[in-house]
């Protein structure tokens, strides 16, 4: 959002630049994929696994008084087959922990926009590649790709703030 202010001496208007976040490099910071019960588990997989997903976002300033931050998008995905009968337990298939990160530079950030740029806008930029990496990991492990929907990072941020 650009705002204009009038110069008191000359009456000229100045445009205040909108706060923004610029993404530099993005990368897989860490990944762990465990196939639970291999190789026997592959004989029982006949359908798309049910998925349990948890998401977290962390941001770290790279140096004191610098505008550069590392933002981490942490995805944990657990795949399982549902129980076929009430007395039967679910069949765990895999457990993935993926930390996908990027280097971001804040421009014209204020105290009011700082947190939202790093914890909403930055992970929104990382998410498509992280989601693709998760789907690829599942496929390469011998399962159908994990297809997950878009994440509302604003709601995630609000919930996190409400918890404290």
């Amino acid at each position: 959002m650009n705002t204009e202010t009038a110069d008191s001496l000359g009456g000229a208007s100045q445009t205040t630049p909108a706060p923004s976040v610029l993404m530099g490099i993005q990368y897989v910071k860490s990944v762990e994929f465990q196939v639970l019960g291999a190789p026997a588990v592959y004989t029982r997989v006949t359908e798309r696994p049910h998925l349990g997903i948890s998401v977290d976002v962390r941001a770290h300033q790279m140096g004191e008084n610098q505008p550069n931050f590392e933002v981490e998008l942490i995805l944990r995905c657990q795949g399982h087959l549902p129980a076929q009968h009430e007395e039967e337990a679910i069949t765990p298939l895999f457990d993935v922990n993926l930390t996908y990160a990027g280097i971001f530079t804040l421009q014209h950030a204020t105290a009011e926009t700082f947190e939202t740029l790093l914890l909403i806008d930055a992970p929104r930029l990382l998410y498509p590649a992280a989601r693709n990496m998760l789907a690829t990991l599942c496929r390469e492990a011998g399962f159908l790709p994990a297809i997950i929907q878009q994440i509302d990072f604003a709601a995630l941020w609000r919930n996190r703030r409400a918890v404290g």
Side-chain angles (χ1 to χ4, degrees), residues 22-164:
L22 299 175
M23 182 169 58
I25 190 169
Q26 53 181 312
Y27 49 94
V28 175
K29 187 165 183 178
S30 68
V31 65
E32 178 185 8
F33 195 110
Q34 292 183 314
V35 177
L36 308 170
V41 72
Y42 292 110
T43 63
R44 299 193 315 220
V45 178
T46 59
E47 59 189 72
R48 183 172 295 277
H50 289 216
L51 301 176
I53 304 279
S54 65
V55 179
D56 196 10
V57 177
R58 293 189 295 228
H60 313 278
Q61 191 168 16
M62 295 180 63
E64 192 173 324
N65 298 322
Q66 288 190 11
N68 299 325
F69 292 80
E70 178 189 50
V71 176
E72 299 174 342
L73 174 57
I74 300 104
L75 299 176
R76 180 163 188 212
C77 179
Q78 297 173 310
H80 65 274
L81 292 177
Q84 299 297 321
H85 308 286
E86 284 186 35
E87 63 276 355
E88 195 175 84
I90 63 169
T91 304
L93 300 174
F94 59 84
D95 191 359
V96 185
N97 289 295
L98 171 64
T99 301
Y100 198 83
I103 305 298
F104 293 87
T105 302
L106 297 182
Q107 294 187 319
H108 313 293
T110 63
E112 295 80 28
T113 61
F114 189 85
E115 195 173 351
T116 58
L117 288 171
L118 291 173
L119 299 179
I120 298 173
D121 295 342
R124 191 178 293 141
L125 293 171
L126 291 173
Y127 182 71
R131 176 177 55 187
N132 186 48
M133 175 62 65
L134 180 62
T136 300
L137 287 168
C138 291
R139 186 186 72 242
E140 292 296 320
F143 301 102
L144 291 172
I147 307 299
I148 56 176
Q149 299 300 313
Q150 185 63 38
I151 295 171
D152 184 348
F153 289 102
L156 182 67
W157 175 72
R158 284 190 301 272
N159 291 341
R160 190 175 190 179
R161 286 189 63 133
V163 170

